[in-house]
Amino acid sequence: MYIENINSPADVKKLNIMQLNVLAEEMRHALLTRASRHGGHFGPNFGMVEAIIAMHYVFDSPKDKIVFDVSHQCYPHKMLTGRKDAYLYEEHYDDVSGYTNPNESEHDFFTVGHTSTSISLACGLAKARDLNGEDGNVIAVIGDGSLSGGEALEGLDFASELNSNMIIVANDNDMSIAENHGGLYANLKLLRETNGQAECNLFKAMNLDYIYVDKGNDIASLIEAFEKVKDTKKAVVVHINTLKGKGYAPAEQNKEKWHWHMPFDIATGESLFKDEEPDFSDASLEYLLKKMDEDKSVVAITAGTPTVMGFTADMRAKAGKQFVDVGIAEETAVALASGIAANGGKPVFGVYSSFIQRAYDQITQDVCINGNAVTFAVFAGSVYGMNDVTHLGLQDIPMLNSIPGLIYLAPVTKEDYIAMLDWSLTQNEYPVAIKVPGGRMVSTGTPVTKDFGKLDTYEITKKGSKVAILGLGTFYENAVKAADILKASHGIDATVINPYYISGIDADTLNELKKDHAVVATLEDGYLEGGFGAKIAAFYGSSDMKVLNFGIKKEFIDRYDVAEVLKDNHLTPEQIAEDIAATL
Amino acid sequence: MYIENINSPADVKKLNIMQLNVLAEEMRHALLTRASRHGGHFGPNFGMVEAIIAMHYVFDSPKDKIVFDVSHQCYPHKMLTGRKDAYLYEEHYDDVSGYTNPNESEHDFFTVGHTSTSISLACGLAKARDLNGEDGNVIAVIGDGSLSGGEALEGLDFASELNSNMIIVANDNDMSIAENHGGLYANLKLLRETNGQAECNLFKAMNLDYIYVDKGNDIASLIEAFEKVKDTKKAVVVHINTLKGKGYAPAEQNKEKWHWHMPFDIATGESLFKDEEPDFSDASLEYLLKKMDEDKSVVAITAGTPTVMGFTADMRAKAGKQFVDVGIAEETAVALASGIAANGGKPVFGVYSSFIQRAYDQITQDVCINGNAVTFAVFAGSVYGMNDVTHLGLQDIPMLNSIPGLIYLAPVTKEDYIAMLDWSLTQNEYPVAIKVPGGRMVSTGTPVTKDFGKLDTYEITKKGSKVAILGLGTFYENAVKAADILKASHGIDATVINPYYISGIDADTLNELKKDHAVVATLEDGYLEGGFGAKIAAFYGSSDMKVLNFGIKKEFIDRYDVAEVLKDNHLTPEQIAEDIAATL
């Protein structure tokens, strides 16, 4: 086997084309075996094996610098840059992250997980190179799905301004996570169909040089193309036509399903673990399909992640015009929602907590200044969400809380969530965001009748004295448990409160507590700084009430263990009870 | 005069071409008179008089809906939609805002002030129209300077997905605020030079229909073009070639200077008021030019607002390759800065507080997760900043504070600011943002020697007891004054602290205060919620310390009076002293 002897790109350069083709097969085999046992991004890597081999054959990393967009297609790159063991041997599978990581290798330049950043980041590397009078190539590798993102399009527009070496490899597999959306894909199709010869060319319209590689999974063709652009003195796009999931039939056939995959049986492609338990995606889908049927102005919006609200291909077909995928373009998703609301529609934008960050200004300016009744369903904003440092869901409370005019709600149960969605779609006054709880979905089976239009009304779910615990969203359950422990261990009959409103203060309830409570504890599923608890502390700042805030320390954490993080942040019910008792 | 009889677009439709031409001259005359006395956006409006007349002649607003990008070119639109008095009569000049405003008129659909939003917002209006089975045209009017923004490019990409009526008027005057930057402008130039016939066409590459109007200041040509696209069933771009500042020679000649202008003498074009006092822009420029000379890796970056750090055209020439204007593309500005820092350069991104919001995700992901030493100079983040609701500078403390890994500093004086910039450019460990103070620049003349690398070290500038006042940035001065009042009126010898660090807690200093202080007051120039004071309140939550937070209530305020806002928020030194005294 060749792959076992590849310790750096220099070893790739020693092989001839025939050997490189064998290497590609070996790599694909290793990727398949690893994916079947470990899970991970599948399609993006399988389509890029040959291109990455060719890049390392032609360019001299790390002097030549390759920047991967999203970087979920970097597994072959890692295999060729000293990290093959993490793909060949099961005991080493977890030695590497799923994204590029400068802490792992000098061949990685950024920790990246969000899309559409590669061109602008690479432009920065190139600019510094030029300022420092150095040479070498800078290469941005971007998948077509990422091209629709504003930052990528800005980068395409800016690249020629460098007047210097800058190579953009546009990996065109005609897919985003789901199918591509946007007018530029018609142009990519035209370019594929004309072997890159069509005069109308998005890249040329951005003042970039351009070459096309039809056989984007053929190492020889790719080497030829990369050699042609190596040491270019202008920004150039190498448009390569690849097959997403290449080499594994189920992935070639169902590209959306195999973008990322759980461990599976190689022979059948069936997942080894089935999660049949209904979750908040299912609940969203069920509610929205029903609502769409009742009201033709209800429209669900996604920015390239349709299944976050359960909209698989067949459900998208069912929703028809009432479902819009703008592609990876969160800014447009939010502005579109604002426009829909301004003209009498009822938009629901379902989005991961980590990605709503990409539309901060649009939420502020396009939506909230205008007071347009957009509903945001914010998923995985939780310590139980994604645990890669690039996909943390811990920031949304302070982030969204900093935007005036936005009502931010924290449901605890499925029924809370549905009642909030329903209220939000009924009213026309406020932009509303709903923080979908993390972890398992709790369902009581009893519809919630609370009127969420009576803003900032907390609910006392258990009346006690001395101590009050405000348990927000996901962590409400821990508030109940901590109260139980306080009762059992210290004989304290604590009040338990479900605040529901992240964005508001229930001054009446909080003032009322002053009468017979000495300590108020707050629990929130996210960074503490600038969050819900800090607001409560500020409210009580000039009173005698003692306030304890429980939440997560503001820092970037990577591939963390949930139990450890909870413990480190004193977030277990036992720790909470103990800390409260110590204050009394 | 015709303009005096225009009370709605219906009155425009009654005029013939000759009369419309006279109307245009009357409008331009009124705009010139008003601008000379009142100031405001100049060039954008002067170039668009004919196009806006033609639009209201052809389309039926408000059934047909016109959405203006940035909306600083909406003055002629306001004149034709029932608000002419605000442009004809000096006593009514302030009856209207400088941007579109749904509270003023049914012909305005959004309050808009940030760029690049119009296409996506208009797509939303169109989508709701289609869902509700209505008809009518939706028209987005976007200037070429705004096209480089990610949200606009996303919108261009998305528009064809509507499969429905959507008209994009691209106002091409070959200028942003300063000159245009980006590869797409080469394509616009090619299109102008080929009378729109060139095959390589950015808009067509986005799958949009396209027509070109060479005489973009000729009403008849414009009417013909708009009539051609009216009721189109597809998304179409009408590319019009206009002259920015048309009709006033100084503005035609110096487009950058006349993008926005203070009151001036019409005969000479000279400003009536001169502000000769040096400010933080001057200080930035002076420092950076010197530093650039010493270190070729120092690079100043702007996203279309070069003068925020003093880089007028001649200073840009002086800085040469060490100054980069990415055009209106804040996301790329931030990613570029991160790439530069990652490759050994020293980038300083100078940006208005209101616009840094546009790169929230890039600051988080591209910069802070990577720990790249980018310096952000955040201007006009102050109650003394811009007072239009779309340009408020009140949000940056909670916003930037929510991002892990970012050091956020609050200088008080020019010397603080320079010392912070200098420290930031020396170190390689942290992304650093500096909140440039609002109001007049205070200069002591004495260089600051504090080592800002010793993170989170507050400075006690006056040691007292009982009461400690933490005055952040702009409001430090008020802390000193409040302390003086407390001494004079109540005999209290308050401690005064300059915290310097917005993003950090100096636990030692704060704990030390517990010994002989009962009240800590915090002052900050921005929204209180999620801000600096709340953090201090949370720190002291379980102690006996009373904490009072002074800052601004989180809400959208428009064209406010600074003195009123300060008073309403208890931010005068007298009020602060009084509130503190009342707590004792």
Side-chain angles (χ1 to χ4, degrees), chain A residues 411-582:
Chain A
V412 174
T413 65
K414 174 187 173 183
E415 289 74 17
D416 288 342
Y417 174 63
I418 297 299
M420 288 172 181
L421 270 180
D422 207 53
W423 167 71
S424 185
L425 287 174
T426 314
Q427 57 84 36
N428 269 314
E429 287 176 85
Y430 314 106
V432 174
I434 306 174
K435 186 175 171 69
V436 177
R440 262 192 184 184
M441 181 169 73
V442 177
S443 174
T444 61
T446 312
V448 167
T449 56
K450 181 175 170 70
D451 174 7
F452 289 100
K454 291 183 182 155
L455 296 184
D456 305 336
T457 48
Y458 299 170
E459 202 165 301
I460 297 176
T461 54
K462 177 173 165 292
K463 181 79 188 82
S465 61
K466 251 191 196 168
V467 171
I469 312 178
L470 280 66
L472 197 66
T474 316
F475 286 176
Y476 172 75
E477 205 179 337
N478 283 1
V480 174
K481 286 183 190 163
D484 290 345
I485 296 169
L486 281 172
K487 180 76 180 167
S489 310
H490 302 82
I492 297 166
D493 199 15
T495 295
V496 177
I497 295 177
N498 181 348
Y500 285 120
Y501 296 84
I502 306 174
S503 53
I505 286 277
D506 182 344
D508 290 345
T509 299
L510 293 182
N511 280 324
E512 190 70 19
L513 292 179
K514 289 179 187 168
K515 288 185 189 157
D516 50 357
H517 292 72
V519 176
V520 166
T522 65
L523 277 58
E524 65 199 287
D525 187 4
Y527 292 144
L528 263 182
E529 205 173 310
F532 175 75
K535 188 157 53 179
I536 303 294
F539 177 86
Y540 284 123
S542 60
S543 78
D544 291 324
M545 187 73 83
K546 299 266 188 293
V547 180
L548 285 180
N549 298 144
F550 295 88
I552 294 159
K553 190 183 164 201
K554 187 182 80 174
E555 62 185 350
F556 290 117
I557 46 181
D558 193 17
R559 289 164 287 160
Y560 60 80
D561 177 81
V562 173
E564 261 175 44
V565 168
L566 292 177
K567 210 174 154 199
D568 290 349
N569 285 281
H570 276 226
L571 277 166
T572 69
E574 294 74 18
Q575 290 171 309
I576 294 166
E578 205 172 298
D579 286 357
I580 292 173

Side-chain angles (χ1 to χ4, degrees), chain A residues 5-83:
Chain A
N5 297 311
I6 303 282
N7 293 309
S8 83
D11 296 324
V12 178
K13 294 179 206 297
K14 291 174 192 157
L15 304 180
N16 63 34
I17 293 288
M18 223 163 59
Q19 293 167 324
L20 291 174
N21 283 326
V22 176
L23 174 66
E25 288 318 302
E26 291 174 5
M27 288 169 69
R28 210 167 249 121
H29 176 76
L31 285 170
L32 183 62
T33 307
R34 183 179 191 267
S36 73
R37 296 178 191 167
H38 185 269
H41 280 100
F42 194 100
N45 289 297
F46 275 66
M48 281 296 281
V49 172
E50 289 81 7
I52 289 172
I53 290 173
M55 271 186 268
H56 280 299
Y57 184 87
V58 172
F59 298 108
D60 300 309
S61 179
K63 191 193 175 199
D64 291 336
K65 297 175 172 39
I66 309 173
V67 181
F68 291 92
D69 207 275
V70 200
S71 81
H72 57 354
Q73 78 289 63
C74 72
Y75 301 1
H77 163 77
K78 291 198 178 188
M79 295 173 90
L80 301 179
T81 52
R83 288 166 280 182

Side-chain angles (χ1 to χ4, degrees), chain A residues 87 102 116 151 159 179 213 219 257 267 349 374 400 409 419 439 472 507:
Chain A
Y87 299 86
S116 312
E151 190 176 355
E179 71 282 356
V213 183
I219 295 175
K257 190 175 156 197
F349 178 36
V374 172
L400 293 178
L409 299 172
L472 197 66

Side-chain angles (χ1 to χ4, degrees), chain A residues 65 102 109-111 113-114 117 120-121 123-125 127-129 131-132 134 148-151 153-155 157-158 160-161 180-187 199-202 204-207 296-297 299 321-322 324-326 328-332 335-336 338-340 342-345 354 357-358 360-362 364-366 368-370 372 389-391 395 398-399 401-405 503 527 529-530 534-535 537-538 541-549 554-556 583, chain B residues 65 102 109-111 113-114 117 120-121 123-129 131-132 134 148-151 153-155 157-158 160-161 180-187 199-202 204-207 296-297 299 321-322 324-326 328-332 335-336 338-340 342-345 354 357-358 360-362 364-366 368-370 372 389-390 395 398-399 401-405 503 527 529-530 534-535 537-538 541-549 554-556 583:
Chain A
K65 297 175 172 39
F109 301 92
F110 300 98
T111 298
H114 283 196
T117 70
S120 302
L121 287 172
C123 284
L125 295 180
K127 180 73 190 175
R129 172 199 63 198
L131 287 173
N132 290 325
E134 294 161 1
S148 58
E151 190 176 355
L153 291 165
E154 286 182 2
D157 180 41
F158 175 71
S160 71
E161 291 262 322
N180 275 325
H181 284 279
L184 71 86
Y185 296 104
N187 188 245
E199 277 296 315
C200 187
N201 179 315
L202 174 71
K204 288 185 179 174
M206 293 291 199
N207 204 26
K296 288 297 165 197
S297 76
V299 54
K321 286 197 167 192
Q322 288 175 271
V324 181
D325 185 349
V326 298
I328 294 174
E330 290 82 1
E331 302 176 48
T332 282
L336 181 83
S338 179
I340 290 172
N343 204 12
S354 182
Q357 299 177 187
R358 296 164 69 83
Y360 183 90
D361 193 51
Q362 290 69 34
T364 304
Q365 296 274 328
D366 295 343
C368 289
I369 285 180
N370 287 283
N372 288 337
V389 67
T390 48
H391 290 74
Q395 207 162 320
M399 177 186 68
N401 215 21
S402 68
I403 300 176
S503 53
Y527 292 144
E529 205 173 310
K535 188 157 53 179
S542 60
S543 78
D544 291 324
M545 187 73 83
K546 299 266 188 293
V547 180
L548 285 180
N549 298 144
K554 187 182 80 174
E555 62 185 350
F556 290 117
T583 310
Chain B
K65 296 173 172 43
F109 300 93
F110 300 97
T111 298
H114 283 196
T117 70
S120 302
L121 287 171
C123 283
L125 295 179
K127 179 73 190 175
R129 172 199 64 199
L131 287 173
N132 291 325
E134 295 161 2
S148 57
E151 190 176 355
L153 290 165
E154 285 182 5
D157 179 43
F158 175 71
S160 71
E161 290 262 321
N180 275 325
H181 283 279
L184 71 85
Y185 296 103
N187 189 244
E199 277 296 316
C200 186
N201 179 316
L202 174 71
K204 288 186 180 173
M206 292 292 199
N207 204 27
K296 289 298 165 197
S297 76
V299 54
K321 286 198 166 187
Q322 288 174 270
V324 182
D325 184 349
V326 299
I328 293 173
E330 291 82 0
E331 301 176 50
T332 282
L336 181 82
S338 179
I340 291 172
N343 204 12
S354 182
Q357 298 177 188
R358 296 164 69 83
Y360 183 90
D361 192 50
Q362 289 69 33
T364 304
Q365 297 273 328
D366 295 342
C368 289
I369 285 180
N370 288 282
N372 288 337
V389 66
T390 47
Q395 208 162 321
M399 177 185 69
N401 215 21
S402 69
I403 299 176
S503 52
Y527 291 145
E529 206 172 309
K535 188 157 52 177
S542 60
S543 79
D544 291 323
M545 186 74 81
K546 299 267 188 291
V547 179
L548 285 180
N549 298 144
K554 187 182 79 175
E555 62 185 351
F556 290 117
T583 310

